[in-house]
Amino acid sequence: MFSNLDDYREAAKRFLPEFAFCYLEGGSEDGVTLRRNRAAFERITFEPKMMVDVTAVGTGTELCGKYAAWPAVVGPTGLNGLYRREAEESLARAAHRFGLPFVLSTASTSLLEDVRQCSDGELWLQLYVQRDRRIAEDMMARARGCGYSTLVLTVDTPVPGQRDHYARTGFKLPLRWTPRLLWDVVTHPRWTATVGIHGIPQLVNLARSAGLGANIEAQAAALGSQMDMSLEWHDIAWLRRHWQGKILIKGLLSVADAKRAAQHEADGVVLSNHGGRQLDGAPSAIEMLPHVVACMPRGFEVYIDGGVRRGSDIAKAVALGAKGTLLGRAPLYGLAAAGIDGAIAVLAQLNRELETCLRLLGCADINALTDAYLLGNCVSALEFE
């Protein structure tokens, strides 16, 4: 296996056709938000404490009322079947191996029932809401019946962001075969032999709940042009009627919206700019984190995603008050590079890095990690530049 996440990213880039790698890697418009996600982490500086017994370090915590081996979640990502066959099953198995929850996307390419069958781990469901809300209601019922415990409602996608790489690489659903796209596939024979030979993956969960069958054009429309743009805060009450577990609201980027989520009895929020794939010029989640945490009631859980590439990034988020971080692209690099073994190796790398970071910080228990382990100017360094 490889030495760091960048090596897995490069291996993924070699394996995948350009259109698939750009789908994994790309952001919206000029990539301003995408770059900002990493830059914000890099502006945070540690202040380690020395002469502390770190023979053993504890990383265990509680996420949405359930034990997790470390404060991370393998987050929801769509169309993962572009990278490997049975991608969601592999990600769920990898997450369970490391004692982490796995979040299945509405845009998954494996049935939620199949993912449950392959893993005894903690499973969450990420939900997009279409104009026909019976689709979401059916998907929630199916997930409840399979023991999914937490619902993650994504609210930052009333329409897809402007993603220039779609036009550049010729990728769209349904796929239109152009000479460039054919050449892209032909020049990646390993991907073609293991993934492409089976055709473009289907949005099978959406198809089953919407009764769409194998019509990828209708599936793509349900995921894009048929999204419910009327979704409002009072609709959390509608969710509560169909979901008895924990509810997190994902895609918020302001103190005011986080307060509204708490007022409408959500259990927590995921601060997120959708990995830089929606509104270009938005703040990063880590920038907003300390401001949101300072205003939330006790017991209200705040998670972040976007730009997490090292175990030390997880430590920075926890020090600033995050309950945990959602991992998006990081495990996908491993999955694309080497299948389930790659996903496992990436999670193992992040876990080792987190434990090393805690030892070097002089913090023997991640639950004791606060901003006292950061330089005093770190929060001000996260002010918008």
Side-chain angles (χ1 to χ4, degrees):
M1 290 297 168
F2 302 105
S3 62
N4 59 42
L5 196 61
D6 281 344
D7 290 344
Y8 284 98
R9 177 186 174 278
E10 288 303 310
K13 187 176 183 180
R14 291 191 298 271
F15 175 74
L16 295 173
E18 183 187 17
F19 81 86
F21 182 75
C22 286
Y23 181 79
L24 190 168
E25 182 80 347
S28 62
E29 297 187 5
D30 298 315
V32 173
T33 299
L34 187 65
R35 293 190 298 274
R36 186 172 191 149
N37 284 346
R38 278 305 303 154
F41 275 105
E42 291 167 1
R43 293 202 303 272
I44 300 171
T45 305
F46 288 120
E47 184 177 298
K49 317 300 180 188
M50 298 300 143
M51 302 293 286
V52 176
D53 183 358
V54 289
T55 306
V57 294
T59 58
T61 189
E62 193 173 277
L63 305 179
C64 282
K66 303 289 184 66
Y67 176 80
W70 34 298
V73 179
V74 176
T77 48
L79 272 179
N80 291 334
L82 285 178
Y83 317 130
R84 293 282 174 170
R85 294 281 292 168
E86 297 185 351
E88 279 88 12
E89 289 92 334
S90 295
L91 292 169
R93 289 189 184 107
H96 181 41
R97 178 164 175 166
F98 287 91
L100 306 180
F102 169 66
V103 192
L104 185 74
S105 171
T106 291
S108 59
T109 53
S110 296
L111 288 171
L112 63 86
E113 293 86 356
D114 291 343
V115 175
R116 167 47 77 205
Q117 188 171 14
C118 83
S119 172
D120 294 325
E122 187 69 15
L123 297 180
W124 300 359
L125 175 69
Q126 178 272 334
L127 188 69
Y128 291 121
V129 179
Q130 286 71 43
R131 290 198 295 267
D132 182 352
R133 294 194 179 181
R134 291 173 298 179
I135 299 171
E137 290 169 2
D138 182 78
M139 197 171 296
M140 285 188 281
R142 290 168 54 206
R144 284 200 324 272
C146 290
Y148 285 62
S149 64
T150 294
L151 185 73
V152 182
L153 175 69
T154 297
V155 297
D156 60 358
T157 53
V159 295
Q162 172 61 37
R163 300 171 191 174
D164 298 349
H165 54 86
Y166 285 3
R168 187 177 67 252
T169 63
F171 176 66
K172 64 180 297 187
L173 293 177
L175 206 60
R176 309 294 187 194
W177 289 105
T178 64
R180 173 171 182 161
L181 198 57
L182 282 168
W183 180 250
D184 190 14
V185 170
V186 166
T187 53
H188 291 83
R190 288 196 303 133
W191 178 87
T192 302
T194 57
V195 180
I197 194 171
H198 300 283
I200 292 298
Q202 302 276 312
L203 303 174
V204 291
N205 275 309
L206 191 57
R208 175 168 290 189
S209 285
L212 297 175
N215 185 338
I216 188 64
E217 188 165 8
Q219 295 169 20
L223 193 64
S225 60
Q226 294 175 25
M227 294 290 280
D228 188 350
M229 291 189 281
S230 71
L231 203 65
E232 295 182 335
W233 287 106
H234 63 77
D235 289 315
I236 296 178
W238 162 71
L239 286 179
R240 285 288 182 203
R241 291 196 297 272
H242 295 277
W243 189 266
Q244 285 71 54
K246 301 282 189 178
I247 295 178
L248 304 178
I249 311 300
K250 180 178 181 290
L252 307 184
L253 286 170
S254 72
V255 172
D257 275 349
K259 286 182 176 178
R260 290 186 187 100
Q263 290 163 1
H264 285 83
E265 299 185 349
D267 298 291
V269 297
V270 182
L271 303 180
S272 173
N273 56 39
H274 215 94
R277 295 161 68 86
Q278 283 296 100
L279 176 64
D280 205 21
S284 71
I286 194 76
E287 285 174 312
M288 294 308 305
L289 176 61
H291 308 289
V292 169
V293 168
C295 299
M296 291 298 100
R298 186 177 182 84
F300 190 83
E301 299 191 356
V302 181
Y303 298 79
I304 69 162
D305 71 6
V308 178
R309 299 292 182 270
R310 290 279 189 180
S312 57
D313 296 332
I314 299 172
K316 289 174 180 178
V318 172
L320 287 170
K323 189 68 174 172
T325 61
L326 274 63
L327 307 174
R329 290 181 176 92
L332 293 183
Y333 292 147
L335 179 75
I340 187 172
D341 291 339
I344 288 170
V346 164
L347 294 180
Q349 176 90 24
L350 292 171
N351 191 18
R352 287 194 302 271
E353 290 175 354
L354 178 60
E355 290 186 359
T356 297
C357 181
L358 290 176
R359 286 190 165 95
L360 295 177
L361 282 174
C363 181
D365 183 356
I366 200 160
N367 296 295
L369 187 59
T370 69
D371 59 5
Y373 289 88
L374 305 177
L375 278 184
N377 64 352
C378 273
V379 174
S380 60
L382 287 171
E383 297 294 339
F384 313 125
E385 296 180 347

